[in-house]
Amino acid sequence: MPADAKPPHNATLAAFGERVRARRHELGWSQEVAADHIGIHWTHLGQVERGQRSSRIENVLKIAAGLDTTPGRLLDGLPSE
Amino acid sequence: MPADAKPPHNATLAAFGERVRARRHELGWSQEVAADHIGIHWTHLGQVERGQRSSRIENVLKIAAGLDTTPGRLLDGLPSE
């Protein structure tokens, strides 16, 4: 099964990934460009955007900073499990 | 070496833990009471407050909700590694 076809791990990560992707699109960046700004590999970013990988606090901060936004804008109001 | 004497893993987690502890103190709660509201074990909360344990997104949401605050208030502006 290709990665795109795999389901998100849970509703929280699905919604977080959608926000990350939406912010990346606002910036007009490819996954490769965004991952470079964030400082992670683009395959890692792809997994985050698809809700297939959770992130620890340290990486949430890197993702927010790399996408020129805040952790709060990416996390506040997300559905809990 | 007792747990209290162990250093935090990094500056990000140290600062996050301080915010969690400060919010718990605002509420006037013990670690046991706060952990019960959050839905994690009090030893887990203690590790978080001491910066000795990172948290994934799902647990950040639980911690914020359990302490009647938002992920943004706990994460925005934290020092990055």
Side-chain angles (χ1 to χ4, degrees), chain B residues 21 31 40-52:
Chain B
R21 177 169 287 164
Q31 281 189 343
I40 59 177
H41 196 269
W42 67 269
T43 56
H44 180 161
L45 179 58
Q47 291 172 323
V48 168
E49 289 191 356
R50 292 190 300 274
Q52 290 166 2

Side-chain angles (χ1 to χ4, degrees), chain A residues 9-10 12-13 16 54-58 60-62 70-73 75-81, chain B residues 9-10 12-13 16 54-58 60-62 70-73 75-81:
Chain A
H9 284 339
N10 57 57
T12 302
L13 297 185
F16 177 72
S54 191
S55 301
R56 294 190 179 278
I57 289 173
E58 296 94 326
V60 170
L61 294 186
K62 283 171 71 174
T70 61
R73 285 198 201 108
L75 293 182
D76 286 355
L78 286 186
S80 249
E81 293 176 281
Chain B
H9 285 336
N10 57 56
T12 302
L13 297 185
F16 177 72
S54 191
S55 302
R56 294 191 179 278
I57 290 173
E58 296 93 326
V60 171
L61 294 186
K62 283 171 71 174
T70 62
R73 286 199 201 108
L75 293 181
D76 286 354
L78 288 185
S80 248
E81 293 176 280

Side-chain angles (χ1 to χ4, degrees), chain B residues 15 23 25-26 30 48 66 73 77:
Chain B
R23 177 59 188 153
H25 286 171
E26 277 181 357
S30 66
V48 168
R73 286 199 201 108

